[in-house]
């Protein structure tokens, strides 16, 4: 489906075409994986979907691992727009991000192949040489900073000095989301969004109780990495 | 180190010897994976450690996948004894299991190879044909029932009718534990036990607040699978 007349030729034009082709590949790969599952979606199947050979497809990426990492990045871009997170004002508190976050979780339950891909790459990412390593570190830091900022505003608004640092609560949100996906892959009837909503409820209860309730017999420490 | 005189010969004796050898293999495999990491620990390396060929080693298991699943089962047995969970009385409430659970989490941070193995097999387990599938379903159900029972006793003791079902809170404990491992594999400085301790604190706060605090503008639903 490539256009015959592709605008200015030369290096700049080729580069722009390369970028456009890469985007097309990632968009098609998202569809194929969402439909066929991650294990079902081989490089060959993705190549077929965009009318390239496998070698031709991998020409646009440094490796198969980079291709799949970029699929996850593309998916995050789509989710960000879908959730309304992009439009959340800087003054949002955690109640403002609740619905958008839960809508992404509900959407995940409709694309099991992408959940499988995410889960597999989040394990592969432990290898510092894997392209997903940097991706997951940056993605986690960004997700947690959005949550931590929104939680901090909620506490400030309520005049509450929380016993638990917002950064640690943000880590718990990230962890419960990733961990529930593993449970859901085994038990597809599990309602991930409803379960995460319970964590919002626990945190809201904590925010209300934090200022006037005695600690439960031990100090709460910072659980985050340095 | 096998004994020369191995008791009665014949089928029964062979079976007993087979069971003993399997146990020896799993114990050695735990050591090798804890030390070398999961990716570093090939079937060959485990076979070398017990003085068998790879074929000889796999004679004791239906497949390589079963071998690694049984390594996780063996590790759970060891953790159960280590944590004191085995000795927890039926009347325990969640405060009684807190220290034991956190001690297992702290121990995990010393055996990264076993954490990697657990994480990889928890993804592989999505395949109903993989031996880890049944293992992870049963393991999750057992872990959650221990937590849910202990939480229910805590609520009952405090005369509290919780707005959140103990089964859902148990799911959240499981999910946070699994999800934090993924974060820790990227950021080994993360204090997993301290972070999970914050979740205990949130749940305790909820238990105190549940009976006298109005809901935060929405009903809390059951998030568990049917």
């Amino acid at each position: 489906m490539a256009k015959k007349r592709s605008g200015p030729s030369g290096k700049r034009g080729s580069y722009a075409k390369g970028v456009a082709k890469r985007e097309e590949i990632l968009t098609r790969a998202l569809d194929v994986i969402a439909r066929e599952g991650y294990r079902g979606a081989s490089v060959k199947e993705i190549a077929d979907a965009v009318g390239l050979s496998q070698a031709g497809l991998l020409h646009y990426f440094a490796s198969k691992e980079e291709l799949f990492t970029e699929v996850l990045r593309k998916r995050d871009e789509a989710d960000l727009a879908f959730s309304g997170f992009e439009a959340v004002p800087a003054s949002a508190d955690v109640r403002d991000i609740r619905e958008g976050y839960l809508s992404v979780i509900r959407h995940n339950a409709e694309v099991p192949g992408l959940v499988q891909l995410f889960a597999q790459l989040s394990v592969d990412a432990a290898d510092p040489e894997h392209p997903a390593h940097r991706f997951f570190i940056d993605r986690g830091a960004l997700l947690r900073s959005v949550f931590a900022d929104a939680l901090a505003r909620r506490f400030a608004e309520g005049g509450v000095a929380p016993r638990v640092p917002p950064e640690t609560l943000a880590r718990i949100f990230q962890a419960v989301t990733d961990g529930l996906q593993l449970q859901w892959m085994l038990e597809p009837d599990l309602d991930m969004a409803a379960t995460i909503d319970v964590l919002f409820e626990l945190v809201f209860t904590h925010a209300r109780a934090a200022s006037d309730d005695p600690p439960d017999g031990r100090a709460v420490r910072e659980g985050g990495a340095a």
Side-chain angles (χ1 to χ4, degrees), chain A:
Chain A
M1 301 271 271
K3 287 178 190 167
K4 280 281 163 55
R5 290 175 54 187
S6 51
S9 62
K11 221 166 182 180
R12 196 180 176 90
S14 297
Y15 177 76
K17 277 195 288 182
V19 169
K21 189 68 184 174
R22 222 175 114 106
E23 291 302 300
E24 183 199 338
I25 291 167
L26 294 175
T27 302
R28 293 294 299 134
L30 268 178
D31 288 347
V32 171
I33 295 169
R35 200 175 58 236
E36 307 289 335
Y38 170 47
R39 276 165 229 282
S42 60
V43 171
K44 179 175 184 319
E45 197 160 6
I46 297 168
D48 287 350
V50 288
L52 289 172
S53 66
Q54 294 185 57
L57 171 65
L58 290 175
H59 168 76
Y60 292 91
F61 301 89
S63 63
K64 184 182 159 183
E65 288 72 27
E66 201 209 34
L67 162 63
F68 284 112
T69 302
E70 292 304 309
V71 169
L72 285 186
R73 195 188 307 278
K74 186 83 182 167
R75 176 209 189 196
D76 273 352
E77 287 172 23
D79 281 353
L80 204 61
F82 171 73
S83 66
F85 263 37
E86 277 181 333
V88 167
S91 61
D93 90 10
V94 70
R95 287 166 298 190
D96 298 315
I97 65 175
R98 181 179 190 164
E99 266 315 312
Y101 195 68
L102 295 179
S103 70
V104 170
I105 305 298
R106 279 185 211 105
H107 177 63
N108 285 347
E110 287 159 27
V111 287
L114 293 172
V115 173
Q116 287 162 23
L117 174 63
F118 181 95
Q120 181 57 59
L121 263 63
S122 66
V123 174
D124 295 343
D127 175 2
E129 303 299 316
H130 195 291
H133 184 73
R134 192 72 247 164
F135 170 76
F136 274 97
I137 287 177
D138 292 345
R139 182 186 189 280
L142 179 64
L143 178 72
R144 292 194 302 272
S145 84
V146 169
F147 264 89
D149 289 354
L151 286 160
R153 275 189 293 270
R154 170 75 192 255
F155 291 134
E157 190 188 297
V160 164
R163 288 204 306 280
V164 176
E167 291 73 21
T168 302
L169 295 175
R171 273 202 186 278
I172 290 175
F173 271 103
Q174 183 189 4
V176 85
T177 305
D178 294 348
L180 279 178
Q181 288 191 351
L182 297 174
Q183 292 179 36
W184 174 79
M185 283 160 58
L186 295 172
E187 302 174 59
D189 287 339
L190 170 65
D191 187 337
M192 293 188 283
T195 308
I196 291 170
D197 206 15
V198 166
L199 183 60
F200 277 101
E201 181 67 21
L202 290 180
V203 168
F204 293 158
T205 303
H206 172 77
R208 285 194 301 271
S211 57
D212 50 32
D213 216 18
D216 198 76
R218 79 170 57 199
V220 174
R221 288 152 290 172
E222 165 63 77

